[in-house]
Each structure stands twice: as structure tokens, then as C-alpha cells.
Amino acid sequence: MPKFDTRVQELRYRVLKEVAKHIYNDDLVKYFYDIPKTIIPGPKPSMRCCIYKERAIVQERIKVVLNASTKNKENVIKVIDIACDECPLGGYIVTDACRGCIAHRCSESCPKKAISFTNDLTAVIDKSNCINCGLCAKACPYSAIENRIRPCERICKNKCISPDPLTNAAKINDEKCIHCGSCVYMCPFGAIVDESYIIDVINILKSSDKKVAIVAPSIGGNFTEFGVKKVISALKELGFDMVIEAALGADIVAEHESKELVETGKLTSSCCPSFTSFIEKNYPTLKDKISNSLSPMATIAKKIKEKEPTSKVIFIGPCTAKKYEIKDERVSKYVDSCLTFEELQALFDAREIDISSLEESDFNLSGSYFGRGFAKCGGLTSAVKQSLEEENIDFEVNGVVCSGIKEIKAALNDMKNNKGNTNFIEGMMCDGGCIGGPCNLTHEIKNKIFLDKYANTANKSIKGTIKNEEGK
């Protein structure tokens, strides 16, 4: 069994592996109802109240895979209602730290008079009247009142998750969702899932078309027990004719954005689709500051399609937002489908590919040290500065590097209000950048070390790398 952070990731992997195996064998319809029994053999449950519920949830997971489509603009983040029934609704509660004091500051501060006291003088909150304003928690001298928020609501980057009024299951506001996938990784019960296009990918791999894999720079922090070069060989074993680094697209984007910054004088990056979506939905006055560059994925895919229009291009990375990005009309004509590293692991194992036994291979097209650095927060800004230096353009980049919602909001607020002298914002919605993306196999500190080692093996010149790869 591959190593994952949580059993939720492991369950996702096992479902995808079984689905992939039967798609390859062309017998998914025949074994559709048997897959849950394969994954949950019983007789005793291991995760839920009973094996029947566990199997029912697995069945729903399979349905999400079967119904996934790149052809519509539906949200790629879904909620499996029957899996979302174990978390308390949350809100403010009185803990056992309550001392039953006589000041009653909590009660006096409550605008809805939702707090009363038991016979032993302990405070009680009437949830039917409580509006979760938090004034009671601020007033309590013992910090005995806590706000218990569901993990998905707490982690949501754009505050678009709330309980469904009918089922109490998590409900996603699709108009606000930026597809970052933080809720997918954080949900302790795996009730929130991302669409999987693994069936489309398998059908492409089984076709006679030329198949091209574009691999995200964060590959350097994944499959670390094998090394990137063996993973390239494994991808060719799957059926890819070419394996290309998205880092080369990152180099091209760095060149473009550096010149665009000089021309416009103020710019925000366009590489993270969740970041650009967050700006569009929350800072509409800054939309014109978003770079008009395509993302590194789309940039290199465009180059491939211009040379070979009939080829099929599949992006592989740690990101759920990419699954929504490929539905965008600017991108869909260049990228045919998308896989996460979790899904890629499931494909390798469904095909019984032993990565450790393979010879090492090189990318057909490679990126520079700076292009590979896009996987970590700060990498894009370094690349923009490097590109300006290589082009001998005298321009001072006053950049702000931010990852995670708190840093992003602060940077965008300053730009919106013309505070400071910032002229470039590099925004990465996942903490630490793509190496912190929800669908990396693991999220360990050592992954960043492996990523740095991987980046250091590449060419240190952006311009030189692009020139070297152009003729291939």
C-alpha cells in the first residue's frame, strides 16, 4: 500500500484503483456492485457504524467518478451527503471550564438572550436562538465558551461551506467556491470529494492518439522513494508517448509576466487558478491587474497543440483547481484531461506497474531551476526577477509573496487601497505553494527538501532553457 497522510486518502485511492482496473478490463458495469464488497469485505466495519453504510458510501464515491465531466462548468468539488453525518453542527458551546460564576457576563452580552443557567449555575446556550455572534465567548473571563466549527468550514479559503438546512450535511456555495480543494483534504470523513476524470484518461490512454503528459513541478516532492526519472518511465509504461515538464511552461510564463509587469507597472500572477478565481470573485476592481498569461500548464499545452493538434494532453499535479481550469474556454482547447498524483498512483497500481524495477528516463522537454521553483511559494517571483536580469531590463520588482488566504487578503487589500509600493503579487492559495496542494501523496516537511534537490539538477538559465527546448 502506498504511503498517504490519512485513511481518507487511502480510501480514495482504493476506490480509484478498483474503478481503473475494471475500466481497463472493460467490465466495470459487470462488477459495479461488487467493488464496495472488495474494498469493504467485512464482516466488521472499520470506519463507520456498519459495513453496509461503508459500502453505500463507496458506491456513492464510484458514482461521482462515473458522473464527472470536463464538458460542463459544474463545480469540481462535491459533497457525499451520506458520508457527512458525523460532525457536530458546531457553533458556540459552553465547555466544562465554566465555573458557574455570578457575574454572568456571557448572558449579559448576548443580544438574543440565548444563555441560561442550570441548577448547578453552569451556563447553557439555546442553539435555537443563538446567532453565533461570539460576544459571549469574548465576555467569559474563563474562556469557557468555544466556537466549535466543522473542519471543512474552518479550512474553507473563501467561506463558502455551511450546513444544509434540510440535511445538516455540508453544502458548498458554488458561486463562491474557488475549487482549492482544502476541504477535500481536511474533511475527516472524506465526505467532500473532487471529481475524477480517471475514466476519460484511461480511454485516452487506450486510444491510438499521441498522448502527452504534462507533469507539475511538485512531482519532485512526490514518489520520493523512486525518484522522478523512474516515474517518467512509469508514465511511458502507462502509454504516454511524451512526458513534459510544466516547468518549461513556467519558464515561458516568467518571461512573459516579467515583460508584462514592466509594461503595466502593477501585476498579480496568473499561475494559481484558485488565486485568480479569488480575485475575480472578491476583488473585482483588481481583475485588470491579473496577468493575461495562461498558467504554465496551459502555456506548454498550447505549444504542444500548435505543433500536433490531434495529440491528447493530460496534466498531472497536486491540484483540484486545475480540474476546473481545464473547463475554461481559454484552456479546454489545449488540455484534454487532468489527473492528480493520488489518481496517478491508483493508475500505476491498477496496471501493476512496479516503478522500482524500471530504468530511469528523462523528460522529453524540461524546465529550468526557476521553472521547477514554481512549486514553492516565492518561486514565481524569483523567476520574474531572473528573467528581467537575463534580458538586461532595469526594473525594480517590489513583490509580495503570499500563500494561504490570510496573506493573500492582506496583499490584495494593500494593492486595492494603494498602500505601499508593491507592484507584483505572487499568490498561491495552498499554504507553501503547490507542494502543499491537497492531492500530493503526503504533506511532509521532507517533501520540500526533495523538491529543492530536484530543482537544483536543472539548468539555471530561463532564457537558455527555453532556447534549448524550442527545437525539440
Short mmCIF file of all heavy atoms in Angstrom, two decimals, residues 105-128:
data_model
loop_
_atom_site.label_atom_id
_atom_site.label_comp_id
_atom_site.label_asym_id
_atom_site.label_seq_id
_atom_site.Cartn_x
_atom_site.Cartn_y
_atom_site.Cartn_z
N ARG A 105 -21.38 37.56 32.78
CA ARG A 105 -21.05 38.46 31.66
C ARG A 105 -21.48 37.86 30.32
O ARG A 105 -21.84 38.58 29.38
CB ARG A 105 -19.55 38.73 31.65
CG ARG A 105 -19.09 39.65 32.78
CD ARG A 105 -17.63 40.05 32.59
NE ARG A 105 -17.21 41.02 33.60
CZ ARG A 105 -16.68 40.71 34.76
NH1 ARG A 105 -16.50 39.43 35.08
NH2 ARG A 105 -16.32 41.65 35.62
N CYS A 106 -21.43 36.53 30.24
CA CYS A 106 -21.84 35.87 28.98
C CYS A 106 -23.29 36.16 28.67
O CYS A 106 -23.65 36.51 27.54
CB CYS A 106 -21.58 34.37 29.07
SG CYS A 106 -22.41 33.53 30.44
N SER A 107 -24.13 36.00 29.67
CA SER A 107 -25.57 36.21 29.48
C SER A 107 -25.89 37.67 29.18
O SER A 107 -26.71 37.98 28.32
CB SER A 107 -26.32 35.75 30.73
OG SER A 107 -27.70 36.00 30.60
N GLU A 108 -25.20 38.56 29.90
CA GLU A 108 -25.47 39.98 29.71
C GLU A 108 -25.04 40.47 28.33
O GLU A 108 -25.63 41.41 27.78
CB GLU A 108 -24.74 40.80 30.79
CG GLU A 108 -25.23 40.56 32.21
CD GLU A 108 -26.70 40.91 32.38
OE1 GLU A 108 -27.15 41.89 31.76
OE2 GLU A 108 -27.41 40.18 33.11
N SER A 109 -24.02 39.83 27.76
CA SER A 109 -23.52 40.27 26.46
C SER A 109 -24.33 39.72 25.30
O SER A 109 -24.22 40.21 24.17
CB SER A 109 -22.06 39.84 26.29
OG SER A 109 -21.97 38.43 26.21
N CYS A 110 -25.15 38.69 25.54
CA CYS A 110 -25.88 38.03 24.46
C CYS A 110 -27.04 38.88 23.96
O CYS A 110 -27.97 39.18 24.72
CB CYS A 110 -26.41 36.67 24.93
SG CYS A 110 -27.34 35.79 23.65
N PRO A 111 -27.04 39.29 22.68
CA PRO A 111 -28.12 40.14 22.16
C PRO A 111 -29.45 39.40 22.01
O PRO A 111 -30.50 40.04 21.88
CB PRO A 111 -27.58 40.59 20.81
CG PRO A 111 -26.64 39.51 20.39
CD PRO A 111 -26.01 39.01 21.65
N LYS A 112 -29.42 38.07 22.01
CA LYS A 112 -30.63 37.28 21.80
C LYS A 112 -31.10 36.59 23.08
O LYS A 112 -32.04 35.79 23.04
CB LYS A 112 -30.39 36.23 20.71
CG LYS A 112 -30.17 36.81 19.32
CD LYS A 112 -31.43 37.52 18.83
CE LYS A 112 -31.26 38.05 17.41
NZ LYS A 112 -32.51 38.71 16.95
N LYS A 113 -30.42 36.87 24.19
CA LYS A 113 -30.78 36.25 25.47
C LYS A 113 -30.87 34.73 25.35
O LYS A 113 -31.80 34.08 25.84
CB LYS A 113 -32.11 36.81 25.99
CG LYS A 113 -32.13 38.34 26.13
CD LYS A 113 -31.02 38.82 27.04
CE LYS A 113 -30.99 40.35 27.13
NZ LYS A 113 -29.82 40.82 27.92
N ALA A 114 -29.86 34.15 24.67
CA ALA A 114 -29.85 32.72 24.40
C ALA A 114 -29.15 31.92 25.50
O ALA A 114 -29.05 30.70 25.41
CB ALA A 114 -29.17 32.45 23.07
N ILE A 115 -28.65 32.59 26.54
CA ILE A 115 -27.91 31.90 27.59
C ILE A 115 -28.71 31.86 28.88
O ILE A 115 -29.22 32.88 29.35
CB ILE A 115 -26.54 32.57 27.83
CG1 ILE A 115 -25.69 32.51 26.56
CG2 ILE A 115 -25.80 31.91 28.99
CD1 ILE A 115 -24.34 33.15 26.67
N SER A 116 -28.84 30.66 29.43
CA SER A 116 -29.49 30.47 30.73
C SER A 116 -28.55 29.66 31.62
O SER A 116 -27.44 29.32 31.21
CB SER A 116 -30.83 29.75 30.56
OG SER A 116 -30.64 28.50 29.91
N PHE A 117 -29.01 29.30 32.81
CA PHE A 117 -28.13 28.63 33.76
C PHE A 117 -28.84 27.43 34.39
O PHE A 117 -30.04 27.50 34.70
CB PHE A 117 -27.66 29.61 34.85
CG PHE A 117 -26.90 30.77 34.27
CD1 PHE A 117 -27.56 31.93 33.88
CD2 PHE A 117 -25.54 30.70 34.08
CE1 PHE A 117 -26.87 32.99 33.32
CE2 PHE A 117 -24.83 31.75 33.52
CZ PHE A 117 -25.50 32.90 33.13
N THR A 118 -28.09 26.34 34.54
CA THR A 118 -28.64 25.12 35.13
C THR A 118 -28.69 25.26 36.64
O THR A 118 -28.27 26.27 37.21
CB THR A 118 -27.76 23.92 34.75
OG1 THR A 118 -26.45 24.12 35.30
CG2 THR A 118 -27.66 23.78 33.24
N ASN A 119 -29.16 24.19 37.29
CA ASN A 119 -29.25 24.21 38.75
C ASN A 119 -27.89 24.36 39.42
O ASN A 119 -27.79 24.91 40.53
CB ASN A 119 -29.94 22.94 39.27
CG ASN A 119 -31.41 22.90 38.88
OD1 ASN A 119 -32.03 23.94 38.68
ND2 ASN A 119 -31.97 21.69 38.79
N ASP A 120 -26.85 23.85 38.75
CA ASP A 120 -25.51 24.00 39.34
C ASP A 120 -24.83 25.27 38.85
O ASP A 120 -23.61 25.43 38.96
CB ASP A 120 -24.64 22.77 39.04
CG ASP A 120 -24.39 22.58 37.55
OD1 ASP A 120 -24.91 23.39 36.74
OD2 ASP A 120 -23.66 21.64 37.19
N LEU A 121 -25.63 26.18 38.25
CA LEU A 121 -25.20 27.51 37.82
C LEU A 121 -24.35 27.53 36.56
O LEU A 121 -23.83 28.56 36.16
CB LEU A 121 -24.44 28.23 38.96
CG LEU A 121 -25.22 28.38 40.28
CD1 LEU A 121 -24.38 29.13 41.30
CD2 LEU A 121 -26.53 29.10 40.04
N THR A 122 -24.18 26.36 35.92
CA THR A 122 -23.41 26.31 34.67
C THR A 122 -24.22 26.93 33.52
O THR A 122 -25.42 26.71 33.41
CB THR A 122 -23.07 24.85 34.31
OG1 THR A 122 -22.34 24.28 35.39
CG2 THR A 122 -22.22 24.79 33.06
N ALA A 123 -23.53 27.68 32.66
CA ALA A 123 -24.20 28.34 31.53
C ALA A 123 -24.59 27.32 30.46
O ALA A 123 -23.90 26.33 30.23
CB ALA A 123 -23.29 29.39 30.93
N VAL A 124 -25.72 27.57 29.82
CA VAL A 124 -26.21 26.74 28.72
C VAL A 124 -26.66 27.67 27.59
O VAL A 124 -27.32 28.67 27.84
CB VAL A 124 -27.40 25.85 29.16
CG1 VAL A 124 -27.94 25.07 27.96
CG2 VAL A 124 -26.99 24.90 30.25
N ILE A 125 -26.29 27.30 26.35
CA ILE A 125 -26.67 28.12 25.19
C ILE A 125 -27.83 27.47 24.47
O ILE A 125 -27.76 26.30 24.09
CB ILE A 125 -25.48 28.31 24.23
CG1 ILE A 125 -24.33 29.03 24.93
CG2 ILE A 125 -25.91 29.09 22.99
CD1 ILE A 125 -23.07 29.14 24.07
N ASP A 126 -28.90 28.21 24.27
CA ASP A 126 -30.05 27.75 23.49
C ASP A 126 -29.72 27.93 22.01
O ASP A 126 -29.74 29.05 21.49
CB ASP A 126 -31.28 28.58 23.88
CG ASP A 126 -32.53 28.14 23.12
OD1 ASP A 126 -32.41 27.28 22.22
OD2 ASP A 126 -33.62 28.65 23.42
N LYS A 127 -29.40 26.83 21.32
CA LYS A 127 -28.95 26.91 19.93
C LYS A 127 -30.02 27.44 18.98
O LYS A 127 -29.71 27.94 17.91
CB LYS A 127 -28.48 25.53 19.45
CG LYS A 127 -27.36 24.92 20.27
CD LYS A 127 -26.10 25.75 20.25
CE LYS A 127 -25.37 25.66 18.94
NZ LYS A 127 -24.08 26.40 18.96
N SER A 128 -31.29 27.32 19.39
CA SER A 128 -32.36 27.80 18.51
C SER A 128 -32.41 29.33 18.46
O SER A 128 -32.94 29.91 17.51
CB SER A 128 -33.72 27.26 18.99
OG SER A 128 -34.04 27.76 20.28
#
